[in-house]
Amino acid sequence: MAHILVVDDRAPNRDYLATVLGYYGHTVAEAADGVEALASIRQVRPDLVITDLLMPNMDGEELARCLRDDPATQDLPVIFYTAAYFAREAGEIAARVGVRWVQPKPSEPQA
């Protein structure tokens, strides 16, 4: 299974994803913002990053930009996991920073 980094400034959102992903056999690391995420990625490179967009210190857009600018992480898959009302703007941001997937939250788990 995959090692997934979940990045969100709200602990309940991280806990929800960690629980759902763990149920499907994935290992999950957590970070509260992009700064923590980059530090975590330097220690253990995940197979996937799921990040919120709106966070303090470093938001999801800047995190994705940093990942794309680094040859060691430029191909790391990233999913923006953001509030449904922000989905259109999130899609525009994703296109700017090389992120292919936007998942609205909350969302139902799927197999």
Side-chain angles (χ1 to χ4, degrees):
M1 290 290 144
H3 175 65
I4 301 170
L5 176 62
V6 174
V7 188
D8 197 306
D9 58 318
R10 301 186 72 152
N13 293 342
R14 293 191 310 266
D15 293 344
Y16 170 74
L17 286 176
T19 299
V20 170
L21 295 167
Y23 176 79
Y24 288 102
H26 303 292
T27 60
V28 178
E30 299 180 27
D33 60 36
V35 174
E36 283 185 22
L38 288 176
S40 177
I41 291 166
R42 285 185 198 108
Q43 291 182 353
V44 178
R45 187 181 192 274
D47 300 306
L48 171 67
V49 174
I50 301 174
T51 185
D52 188 18
L53 275 172
L54 301 175
M55 299 178 290
N57 300 320
M58 179 187 289
D59 64 19
E61 179 179 5
E62 183 62 24
L63 171 59
R65 188 173 284 115
C66 289
L67 294 173
R68 295 300 176 250
D69 288 345
D70 184 343
T73 58
Q74 66 187 8
D75 63 342
L76 183 60
V78 176
I79 296 173
F80 284 159
Y81 184 62
T82 192
Y85 66 86
F86 194 57
R88 191 176 113 222
E89 293 89 348
E92 294 168 2
I93 294 168
R96 278 198 309 264
V97 296
V99 171
R100 294 178 50 198
W101 303 283
V102 175
Q103 178 67 39
K105 68 178 167 182
S107 59
E108 292 296 320
Q110 298 174 2

